Amino acid sequence: MRIDLHAHSNASDGTDSPTELVANAVAAGLDVVALTDHDTVSGYREAAAAVAGTGLTLVTGAELSCRVDGISMHLLAYLFDPAERAFGAERDLVRTDRFRRGRAIVERCRELGAPIDWEQVQRIAGQGSVGRPHIASALVEAGVVATVSDAFTADWLANGGRADVRKRETDPAVAVRLVRAAGGVPVFAHPGADKRGRTVPDQVIADLAAAGLGGLEVDHVDHDEPTRARLRGLAGELGLFVTGSSDYHGSRKTVRLGEHTTDPAAYEELLAQATGAAPVTG
Ligand code: AMP
Ligand code: ZN
Ligand code: FE
Ligand code: FE
């Protein structure tokens, strides 16, 4: 069983349509793929239709933007009921604020001399939940930086960078409870990704575990081996399951689907905890 529990489509900042993501997951030899777009479920319907007849299993999910003690972090949520009101309203608030914040970042880039504009960013983002990677693509188009990754520096879009503007982000303990109340399973995404900015102390992870966190994403491209070992130990202490995932973004990042995978036993544990939705098997 090859299980990849974290992938983005163009419903957020990936470059594959949900249909293309499903086809690429099949081509990568995956048995299970999770669609985890930022703060939205808008790719579900297309992805679910695309798995029919492929043998691939689709786990529906989302990646919610959170912040605690001034530190931004991401919470993956799996198999929640997408129609449940309270968690839906929270996703809407975060996603809507991405527009205000996107415009503000573009303004800031222009002040700093980058010849990009909001129409261009909207064209790049399409219907997707707009984020810094779309603005990074605009900066690449404008010749300001060479790659999307090069836009995530202190000069431009990195956390705390010259053109970084904050968006509304949910308190993770609140988010964990919202996900559980919607029948979903919350998993802390890349908790040790320190290249992106500050990461939360272990005590915060312990507090989230007490609030209902289900798992930790340990095998991730942004974690080195010592970080993985430390997080695996912490998960064991706190009774959390451990996942591994690619965090695929199509051509916007270099990581490949299935580059990291989740142990079938951890996947079974996730399924056992989920009551909001069932995986869609093609
Ligand atoms: P946003 O959700 O708009 O705050 O943008 C955050 C997203 O930018 C993350 O989910 C990643 O997909 C992407 N990102 C963050 N750091 C980097 C980086 N160094 N290189 C490429 N993409 C990044
Ligand atoms: Zn992303
Ligand atoms: Fe993330
Ligand atoms: Fe992600």
Side-chain angles (χ1 to χ4, degrees):
M1 285 268 278
R2 294 198 3 107
I3 302 160
D4 185 343
L5 293 179
H6 187 164
H8 297 267
S9 76
N10 64 7
S12 65
D13 55 6
T15 56
D16 289 0
S17 67
T19 303
E20 290 164 343
L21 174 63
V22 165
N24 285 328
V26 172
L30 293 179
D31 300 290
V32 179
V33 72
L35 177 66
T36 54
D37 279 308
H38 296 286
D39 311 309
T40 188
V41 300
S42 69
Y44 280 18
R45 190 194 297 257
E46 183 184 325
V51 293
T54 62
L56 181 74
T57 294
L58 172 73
V59 170
T60 50
E63 186 176 18
L64 191 72
S65 305
C66 295
R67 183 162 72 232
V68 56
D69 300 335
I71 303 171
S72 291
M73 52 159 283
H74 289 165
L75 188 74
L76 291 159
Y78 298 105
L79 298 173
F80 55 85
D81 173 2
E84 187 276 335
R85 290 284 187 84
F87 184 37
E90 189 61 32
R91 288 193 303 277
D92 288 347
L93 284 173
V94 175
R95 198 174 60 253
T96 303
D97 195 51
R98 286 174 165 278
F99 288 94
R100 173 201 62 81
R101 178 258 206 161
R103 283 177 189 272
I105 293 179
V106 168
E107 260 328 293
R108 198 62 200 117
C109 286
R110 290 171 65 88
E111 284 166 15
L112 293 165
I116 62 170
D117 58 53
W118 178 241
E119 287 64 40
Q120 178 192 13
V121 171
Q122 283 192 299
R123 169 177 57 73
I124 292 166
Q127 299 298 306
S129 181
V130 68
R132 282 178 287 174
H134 299 118
I135 299 168
S137 289
L139 290 169
V140 172
E141 273 188 13
V144 175
V145 292
T147 68
V148 165
S149 195
D150 290 340
F152 282 89
T153 63
D155 274 350
W156 299 105
L157 305 177
N159 288 341
R162 294 189 304 170
D164 180 37
V165 178
R166 289 192 153 176
K167 61 183 178 300
R168 183 201 159 87
E169 294 176 317
T170 308
D171 178 279
V174 171
V176 161
R177 293 192 188 97
L178 283 169
V179 172
R180 286 290 187 190
V185 184
V187 172
F188 196 147
H190 46 74
D194 52 11
K195 279 173 290 186
R196 300 183 184 195
R198 286 166 65 211
T199 56
V200 305
D202 289 357
Q203 185 56 50
V204 168
I205 300 179
D207 292 346
L208 292 176
L213 187 70
L216 291 187
E217 186 181 59
V218 170
D219 290 308
H220 183 281
V221 64
D222 290 351
H223 292 161
D224 59 19
E225 265 313 321
T227 299
R228 292 178 199 196
R230 184 177 66 75
L231 290 171
R232 231 180 276 284
L234 184 63
E237 283 169 32
L238 297 174
L240 302 173
F241 62 80
V242 157
T243 68
S245 307
S246 66
D247 202 355
Y248 175 75
H249 280 69
S251 61
R252 226 172 240 120
K253 285 192 183 179
T254 52
V255 69
R256 291 166 290 113
L257 271 168
E259 191 163 315
H260 297 292
T261 56
T262 294
D263 191 86
Y267 175 58
E268 289 303 323
E269 179 61 30
L270 188 160
L271 292 182
Q273 292 185 20
T275 58
V280 184
T281 296

